[in-house]
């Protein structure tokens, strides 16, 4: 998620296990490619020489050569016995120099770094980590990109668990991402964009959802090699670099992968997102920078680029964007009648950015604070956030709203909602919004609750089919939303128990905090006006 702050030393240290998994994958895939070349030229020694002379023969060229060319490339790192941290850092930087696509990604971590004279990760612990990773081979013939990708996601989740509150800035619980991706149902070749992509998990989820659906719909023909098809290289006469098709899933080669795009503010998290793309064997373009003030994806005329699907989990209730930031926008993201939602929360500012990033038939899904669905409704007078919410309802852009269980996210115990937008709603769904209250579909976990597989499928099927079910889901027309002052929270319309239902305490506390900020801002503005008037 987007958050303008620097990463702490402990968070960078937490990148070591995912980083080493990525390094091992690179080494083992390079071995696979050397073996492929060796079969054609007679020996691995010649294969090393050819790869060094022509880097196009392999996806990523690694300047690591074992003393015995029959030994695996990873052995160069594994055999380090002195100044291991310095040696690993040197090797990773050498790989990055040879591969521009990896620069700033695999060479960010200094494995020899110290704090107050003490090594952040001493050589003994680093050696144990290398040995642990060495027990499994991670080449294309050993493990599909989908499996190693899940391993990488597991390490990110463990990193998130150890990072506490800050984890929510880069990590979305996988079950939430799975629901979002299944409902958005991207088709092969579609463009997908995440403006606050964090570690890239939501982009990966959409690609995986598309591939799984295709596997279910089309008879699968297993290929002999998990590396995919090998096409002759016109330049060298050697076969082309091994590539696993569509993230390692065995789909027909005619199925086009999604075109993935993302932007992230924090450099360390940007590096994680790029690792995630590579390790899943997916092609994604991840830019770095402040999406809100300087979105990087533009068309040839400089206008905001649009996509088939947009997905995001922006940091909730960002309070550092001012009305001047919205007024200064030249990309037509904040239309008249909507615009500035108030300084205390940029939630609906992000929704407007995502809406502006959709093409005419595009759909979006965004995770928001629960208060974004109801703040300002029922209050006397006007409320800027409610005004923006009303604009989206009146323009019939909201297709559905999902109310999630409590304690899923790492940066809050509040439940959160998922807002689904559709710029081309079907005729039978126009003038209506589908609400799902899934607050009771979860299992207790440590440290966080989670939605089980059956619950994920139940929620996704309900949202996709607009299936009404007592105590779970309802179709609500715009007239009823207007009657309730544009409150679109499912908890307002769907009660999950027979007794009177109360809103979660955490949700109420968060909403009160936002209201208090608004009152303080209004009070300051009034005092300034009175001061200028001499009162």
């Amino acid at each position: 998620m987007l958050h303008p702050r620097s990463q702490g030393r402990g968070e960078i240290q937490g990148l070591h296990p995912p980083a080493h998994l990525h390094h091992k994958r690179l080494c083992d895939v390079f071995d696979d490619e050397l073996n492929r070349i060796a079969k054609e030229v007679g020996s691995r020694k010649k294969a090393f020489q050819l790869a060094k002379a022509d880097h196009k023969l392999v996806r990523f060229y690694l300047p690591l050569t074992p003393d015995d060319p029959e030994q695996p490339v990873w052995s160069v790192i594994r055999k380090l016995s002195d100044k291991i941290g310095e040696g690993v850092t040197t090797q990773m930087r050498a790989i990055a120099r040879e591969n521009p696509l990896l620069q700033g990604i695999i060479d960010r971590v200094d494995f020899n770094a110290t704090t107050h004279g003490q090594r952040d990760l001493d050589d003994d612990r680093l050696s144990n980590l290398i040995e642990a990773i060495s027990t499994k081979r991670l080449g294309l013939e050993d493990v599909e990109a989908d499996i190693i990708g899940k391993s990488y996601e597991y390490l990110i989740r463990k990193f998130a668990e150890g990072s506490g509150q800050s984890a929510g800035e880069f990590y979305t619980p996988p079950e939430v991402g799975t629901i979002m991706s299944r409902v958005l149902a991207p088709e092969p070749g579609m463009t997908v964009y995440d403006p606050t992509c964090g570690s890239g998990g939501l982009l990966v989820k959409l690609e995986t959802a598309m591939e799984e659906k295709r596997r279910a719909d089309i008879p699968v023909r297993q290929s002999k090699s998990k590396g995919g098809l090998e096409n002759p290289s016109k330049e060298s006469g050697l076969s082309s670099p091994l590539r696993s098709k569509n993230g390692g899933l065995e789909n027909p080669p005619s199925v086009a992968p999604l075109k993935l795009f993302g932007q992230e503010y924090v450099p360390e998290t940007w590096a994680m997102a790029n690792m995630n793309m590579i390790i899943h064997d997916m092609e994604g373009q991840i830019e770095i920078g402040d999406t809100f003030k300087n979105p990087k994806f533009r068309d040839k005329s400089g206008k905001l680029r649009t996509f088939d699907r947009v997905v995001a989990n922006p940091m909730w209730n960002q309070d550092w964007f001012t009305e001047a930031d919205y007024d200064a926008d030249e990309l037509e993201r904040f239309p008249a009648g909507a615009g500035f939602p108030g300084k205390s929360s940029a939630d609906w500012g992000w929704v407007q950015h995502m809406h502006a990033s959709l093409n005419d038939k595009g759909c979006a899904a965004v995770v928001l604070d629960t208060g974004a669905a109801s703040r300002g409704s029922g209050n006397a007078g006007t409320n800027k956030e409610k005004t923006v919410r009303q604009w989206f309802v009146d323009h019939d852009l909201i297709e559905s709203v999902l109310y999630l269980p409590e304690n899923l996210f790492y940066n809050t115990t509040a439940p959160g909602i998922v807002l689904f937008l559709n710029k081309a709603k079907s005729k039978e769904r126009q003038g209506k919004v589908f609400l799902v209250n899934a607050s009771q579909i979860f299992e207790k976990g440590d440290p966080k609750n989670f939605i089980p597989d059956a619950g994920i499928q139940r929620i996704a099927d309900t949202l996709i089919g607009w299936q009404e079910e007592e105590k779970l889901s309802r179709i609500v027309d715009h007239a009823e939303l207007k009657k309730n002052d544009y409150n679109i929270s499912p908890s307002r319309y769907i009660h999950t128990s027979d007794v009177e239902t109360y809103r979660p305490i955490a949700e109420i506390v968060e909403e009160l905090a936002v209201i208090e900020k608004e009152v303080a801002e209004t009070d300051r503005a009034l005092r300034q006006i009175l001061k200028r008037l001499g009162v």
Side-chain angles (χ1 to χ4, degrees):
M1 297 184 191
L2 186 86
H3 194 2
R5 64 166 180 79
S6 60
Q7 294 287 313
R9 174 75 69 185
E11 291 170 286
I12 296 175
Q13 183 170 324
L15 276 169
H16 288 166
H20 271 306
L21 182 69
H22 185 237
H23 301 162
K24 182 65 160 60
R25 173 71 165 178
L26 287 173
C27 287
D28 290 352
V29 170
F30 186 49
D31 266 325
D32 286 342
E33 296 181 309
L34 289 171
N35 291 338
R36 168 183 54 81
I37 297 171
K39 287 180 180 179
E40 300 181 41
V41 300
S43 71
R44 274 177 60 96
K45 183 178 180 179
K46 289 183 179 179
F48 272 107
Q49 294 170 345
L50 285 168
K52 183 177 181 179
D54 184 1
H55 295 182
K56 294 179 181 178
L57 293 175
V58 294
R59 269 186 297 182
F60 296 109
Y61 172 72
L62 275 57
L64 308 180
T65 306
D67 293 334
D68 178 359
E70 297 302 318
Q71 291 295 309
V73 174
W74 178 253
S75 67
V76 175
I77 294 174
R78 191 178 184 185
K79 288 181 178 180
L80 291 171
S81 59
D82 184 43
K83 297 182 179 180
I84 298 175
E86 182 180 334
V88 171
T89 301
T90 299
Q91 299 287 15
M92 293 307 108
R93 290 175 179 174
I95 294 172
R97 283 195 299 271
E98 295 287 351
N99 300 277
L101 286 175
L102 298 179
Q103 290 175 6
I105 299 173
I106 69 167
D107 54 350
R108 298 197 68 87
V109 178
D110 182 355
F111 294 94
N112 202 40
T114 61
T115 303
H116 303 302
Q118 296 291 322
R119 283 278 299 278
D120 293 338
L121 185 66
D122 62 47
D123 278 357
D124 286 341
R125 291 173 60 200
L126 183 55
S127 178
N128 290 337
L129 178 59
I130 291 171
E131 282 304 302
I133 293 175
S134 298
T135 60
K136 299 291 184 182
R137 196 174 187 285
L138 304 178
L140 293 172
E141 297 293 329
D142 306 287
V143 56
E144 295 178 5
D146 183 50
I147 303 301
I148 194 172
K150 289 177 180 177
S151 300
Y152 185 71
E153 290 169 8
Y154 171 79
L155 287 173
I156 293 177
R157 181 164 194 157
K158 288 300 179 184
F159 176 28
E161 290 175 0
S163 301
Q165 293 292 310
S166 65
E169 294 158 21
F170 63 84
Y171 181 76
T172 300
E175 58 267 43
V176 177
T178 298
I179 292 168
M180 295 165 74
S181 62
R182 289 181 184 175
V183 174
L184 288 179
E187 295 292 330
M190 279 188 170
T191 55
V192 178
Y193 168 57
D194 185 341
T196 62
C197 71
S199 54
L202 290 177
L203 293 172
V204 170
K205 287 293 183 186
L206 264 76
E207 174 72 33
T208 303
M210 184 274 289
E211 292 167 355
E212 288 177 346
K213 186 175 186 299
R214 294 293 292 181
R215 285 202 302 174
D217 293 345
I218 300 176
V220 177
R221 283 174 50 185
Q222 297 286 342
S223 62
K224 292 182 179 180
S225 167
K226 292 178 182 178
L229 300 177
E230 297 182 5
N231 297 319
S233 169
K234 293 181 180 179
E235 294 182 7
S236 65
L238 297 174
S239 56
S240 61
L242 293 172
R243 292 183 181 275
S244 55
K245 295 290 182 181
N246 299 318
L249 297 177
E250 303 283 353
N251 276 323
S254 60
V255 175
L258 300 178
K259 300 178 181 69
L260 307 175
F261 303 86
Q263 187 167 338
E264 170 55 37
Y265 187 92
V266 179
E268 287 75 16
T269 312
W270 169 83
M272 290 174 71
N274 278 281
M275 284 187 196
N276 214 357
M277 292 294 105
I278 295 169
I279 215 161
H280 276 87
D281 203 18
M282 296 176 183
E283 294 185 9
Q285 182 180 346
I286 310 297
E287 297 289 346
I288 188 168
D290 186 334
T291 305
F292 205 91
K293 293 185 177 181
N294 183 24
K296 293 293 183 69
F297 295 103
R298 315 280 184 98
D299 61 22
K300 292 180 180 179
S301 65
K303 294 183 178 181
L304 204 65
R305 183 172 178 176
T306 59
F307 304 88
D308 298 304
R309 298 287 184 269
V310 179
V311 62
N313 182 5
M315 182 181 175
W316 301 351
N317 297 322
Q318 294 174 354
D319 60 2
W320 48 83
F321 298 118
T322 66
E323 189 165 6
D325 292 324
Y326 289 79
D327 292 341
D329 179 68
E330 298 179 348
L331 298 171
E332 301 178 352
R333 292 181 292 173
F334 311 115
F340 184 52
K343 188 176 183 300
S344 57
S345 176
D347 288 2
W348 283 94
W350 284 112
V351 175
Q352 290 176 83
H353 170 80
M354 295 175 69
H355 167 254
S357 300
L358 287 172
N359 60 33
D360 291 341
K361 296 183 179 180
C363 298
V366 56
V367 183
L368 300 172
D369 170 33
T370 48
S374 59
R375 279 192 294 263
S377 294
N379 295 345
T382 60
N383 175 277
K384 292 179 179 178
E385 194 167 17
K386 185 190 74 174
T387 298
V388 179
R389 190 166 62 243
Q390 177 179 341
W391 186 91
F392 274 84
V393 172
D394 289 346
H395 284 76
D396 208 3
L397 294 165
I398 301 175
E399 182 152 67
S400 52
V401 184
L402 168 64
Y403 192 98
L404 293 164
E406 289 185 317
N407 200 31
L408 292 180
F409 297 91
Y410 283 92
N411 53 342
T412 180
T413 59
I417 63 166
V418 181
L419 179 75
F420 293 92
L421 305 179
N422 189 343
K423 291 186 74 173
K425 290 173 71 173
S426 61
K427 187 174 182 180
E428 62 271 17
R429 294 185 178 184
Q430 292 174 8
K432 305 168 187 175
V433 175
F434 187 61
L435 305 179
V436 178
N437 186 345
S439 60
Q440 304 304 307
I441 304 178
F442 71 95
E443 291 184 12
K444 289 284 186 180
D446 183 21
K448 290 292 178 178
N449 297 336
F450 66 95
I451 303 174
D453 290 343
I456 293 172
Q457 193 62 51
R458 181 185 177 194
I459 294 169
D461 288 345
T462 300
L463 284 162
I464 293 168
W466 272 40
Q467 301 168 1
E468 288 192 289
E469 182 179 333
E470 188 178 0
K471 299 180 183 179
L472 177 65
S473 57
R474 267 195 66 196
I475 297 172
V476 180
D477 60 35
H478 285 183
E480 187 173 355
L481 294 177
K482 184 176 181 179
K483 182 180 178 181
N484 284 280
D485 203 19
Y486 295 95
N487 183 332
I488 61 172
S489 176
S491 63
R492 172 68 181 83
Y493 302 86
I494 305 162
H495 302 305
T496 57
S497 63
D498 294 328
V499 299
E500 187 175 357
T501 302
Y502 296 91
R503 292 171 61 199
I505 296 297
E507 178 184 336
I508 296 172
V509 169
E510 284 196 12
E511 186 166 333
L512 285 173
V514 172
I515 292 172
E516 287 174 358
K517 284 184 181 179
E518 291 178 347
V519 171
E521 290 170 10
T522 303
D523 186 59
R524 280 195 299 272
L526 181 59
R527 287 177 184 276
Q528 290 175 358
I529 293 171
L530 293 175
K531 186 177 180 180
R532 286 198 294 268
L533 294 174
V535 178

